[in-house]
PDB file of all heavy atoms in Angstrom:
ATOM      1  N   GLU A 131      -6.340  54.249 -26.123  1.00  0.00           N
ATOM      2  CA  GLU A 131      -5.967  54.088 -24.690  1.00  0.00           C
ATOM      3  C   GLU A 131      -6.206  52.690 -24.335  1.00  0.00           C
ATOM      4  O   GLU A 131      -7.431  52.332 -24.352  1.00  0.00           O
ATOM      5  CB  GLU A 131      -6.640  54.997 -23.886  1.00  0.00           C
ATOM      6  CG  GLU A 131      -6.072  56.565 -24.009  1.00  0.00           C
ATOM      7  CD  GLU A 131      -6.565  57.561 -23.093  1.00  0.00           C
ATOM      8  OE1 GLU A 131      -6.162  57.320 -21.876  1.00  0.00           O
ATOM      9  OE2 GLU A 131      -7.283  58.437 -23.463  1.00  0.00           O
ATOM     10  N   GLY A 132      -5.230  51.956 -24.018  1.00  0.00           N
ATOM     11  CA  GLY A 132      -5.421  50.541 -23.584  1.00  0.00           C
ATOM     12  C   GLY A 132      -5.425  49.458 -24.695  1.00  0.00           C
ATOM     13  O   GLY A 132      -5.319  48.191 -24.269  1.00  0.00           O
ATOM     14  N   HIS A 133      -5.619  49.855 -25.887  1.00  0.00           N
ATOM     15  CA  HIS A 133      -5.689  48.737 -26.938  1.00  0.00           C
ATOM     16  C   HIS A 133      -5.317  49.505 -28.238  1.00  0.00           C
ATOM     17  O   HIS A 133      -4.973  50.716 -28.284  1.00  0.00           O
ATOM     18  CB  HIS A 133      -6.999  48.181 -26.948  1.00  0.00           C
ATOM     19  CG  HIS A 133      -8.165  48.855 -27.504  1.00  0.00           C
ATOM     20  ND1 HIS A 133      -8.715  49.820 -26.646  1.00  0.00           N
ATOM     21  CD2 HIS A 133      -8.814  48.868 -28.600  1.00  0.00           C
ATOM     22  CE1 HIS A 133      -9.740  50.346 -27.385  1.00  0.00           C
ATOM     23  NE2 HIS A 133      -9.829  49.957 -28.548  1.00  0.00           N
ATOM     24  N   LEU A 134      -5.361  48.795 -29.374  1.00  0.00           N
ATOM     25  CA  LEU A 134      -5.215  49.326 -30.661  1.00  0.00           C
ATOM     26  C   LEU A 134      -6.248  48.778 -31.643  1.00  0.00           C
ATOM     27  O   LEU A 134      -6.816  47.776 -31.251  1.00  0.00           O
ATOM     28  CB  LEU A 134      -3.851  49.015 -31.204  1.00  0.00           C
ATOM     29  CG  LEU A 134      -3.401  47.485 -31.245  1.00  0.00           C
ATOM     30  CD1 LEU A 134      -2.720  47.126 -32.560  1.00  0.00           C
ATOM     31  CD2 LEU A 134      -2.435  47.360 -30.111  1.00  0.00           C
ATOM     32  N   THR A 135      -6.515  49.468 -32.608  1.00  0.00           N
ATOM     33  CA  THR A 135      -7.448  49.084 -33.589  1.00  0.00           C
ATOM     34  C   THR A 135      -6.618  48.812 -34.897  1.00  0.00           C
ATOM     35  O   THR A 135      -5.884  49.745 -35.379  1.00  0.00           O
ATOM     36  CB  THR A 135      -8.616  50.073 -33.961  1.00  0.00           C
ATOM     37  OG1 THR A 135      -9.325  50.258 -32.839  1.00  0.00           O
ATOM     38  CG2 THR A 135      -9.425  49.575 -34.959  1.00  0.00           C
ATOM     39  N   VAL A 136      -6.846  47.588 -35.512  1.00  0.00           N
ATOM     40  CA  VAL A 136      -6.047  47.317 -36.723  1.00  0.00           C
ATOM     41  C   VAL A 136      -6.938  47.252 -37.872  1.00  0.00           C
ATOM     42  O   VAL A 136      -7.978  46.591 -37.843  1.00  0.00           O
ATOM     43  CB  VAL A 136      -5.206  46.084 -36.610  1.00  0.00           C
ATOM     44  CG1 VAL A 136      -4.477  45.652 -37.774  1.00  0.00           C
ATOM     45  CG2 VAL A 136      -4.360  46.000 -35.392  1.00  0.00           C
ATOM     46  N   LEU A 137      -6.573  47.953 -39.050  1.00  0.00           N
ATOM     47  CA  LEU A 137      -7.448  47.845 -40.281  1.00  0.00           C
ATOM     48  C   LEU A 137      -6.725  46.933 -41.192  1.00  0.00           C
ATOM     49  O   LEU A 137      -5.483  47.197 -41.482  1.00  0.00           O
ATOM     50  CB  LEU A 137      -7.524  49.327 -40.830  1.00  0.00           C
ATOM     51  CG  LEU A 137      -7.977  49.387 -42.362  1.00  0.00           C
ATOM     52  CD1 LEU A 137      -9.282  48.834 -42.461  1.00  0.00           C
ATOM     53  CD2 LEU A 137      -7.783  50.816 -42.897  1.00  0.00           C
ATOM     54  N   VAL A 138      -7.295  45.990 -41.580  1.00  0.00           N
ATOM     55  CA  VAL A 138      -6.833  45.038 -42.681  1.00  0.00           C
ATOM     56  C   VAL A 138      -7.882  45.007 -43.820  1.00  0.00           C
ATOM     57  O   VAL A 138      -9.063  44.840 -43.604  1.00  0.00           O
ATOM     58  CB  VAL A 138      -6.465  43.678 -42.180  1.00  0.00           C
ATOM     59  CG1 VAL A 138      -6.118  42.743 -43.378  1.00  0.00           C
ATOM     60  CG2 VAL A 138      -5.567  43.641 -41.043  1.00  0.00           C
ATOM     61  N   VAL A 139      -7.363  45.387 -45.040  1.00  0.00           N
ATOM     62  CA  VAL A 139      -8.301  45.295 -46.103  1.00  0.00           C
ATOM     63  C   VAL A 139      -8.230  43.931 -46.724  1.00  0.00           C
ATOM     64  O   VAL A 139      -7.195  43.378 -47.087  1.00  0.00           O
ATOM     65  CB  VAL A 139      -7.949  46.357 -47.211  1.00  0.00           C
ATOM     66  CG1 VAL A 139      -8.821  46.308 -48.367  1.00  0.00           C
ATOM     67  CG2 VAL A 139      -7.991  47.810 -46.511  1.00  0.00           C
TER      68      VAL A 139
END
Side-chain angles (χ1 to χ4, degrees):
E131 288 192 61
H133 70 284
L134 53 139
T135 300
V136 180
L137 166 66
V138 176
V139 178

